Amino acid sequence: MPDHVRQRLTQRPLFLGVDGEAAAHYWDSYERALVIVKDTVAEKVELTEIPFKTLGQWCEYTREERGWAVGPHVDGSLVGELVRGPDA
């Protein structure tokens, strides 16, 4: 994992995937934040700062706006459970 991603988060984030614009998405469940990396620029986004309440909503938004070139890698994991929500 690139150092500029690690510097943005307090724990090792989970790799979600790469969107259609070649930006990599990482999830930190402790901070409930995403880090989106495009080229060498990393942007931290906390779920409380955006109009999405769940990681699943973020993944769906990304699918609609940019598409996923790789992923999202969430099935069979805690992240998968978060994306599917309590009704899964």
Side-chain angles (χ1 to χ4, degrees):
M1 172 181 327
D3 286 336
H4 53 280
V5 174
R6 287 179 212 237
Q7 293 170 359
R8 299 276 185 173
L9 301 168
T10 57
Q11 70 176 20
R12 184 177 176 95
L14 297 169
F15 173 70
L16 291 177
V18 178
D19 68 29
E21 295 179 5
H25 295 239
Y26 297 88
W27 168 249
D28 182 326
S29 60
Y30 180 76
E31 291 191 29
R32 293 190 44 83
L34 297 134
V35 171
I36 296 93
V37 181
K38 177 136 183 181
D39 301 319
T40 59
V41 177
E43 176 187 2
K44 181 178 176 180
V45 177
E46 294 184 24
L47 283 184
T48 59
E49 297 174 354
I50 56 176
F52 308 109
K53 294 180 181 180
T54 67
L55 180 57
Q57 290 173 336
W58 175 263
C59 289
E60 186 58 32
Y61 164 78
T62 301
R63 181 184 329 278
E64 291 172 4
E65 293 296 314
R66 304 177 188 179
W68 286 101
V70 176
H73 298 290
V74 295
D75 291 331
S77 69
L78 176 59
V79 176
E81 296 298 319
L82 290 169
V83 168
R84 286 188 291 279
D87 298 330

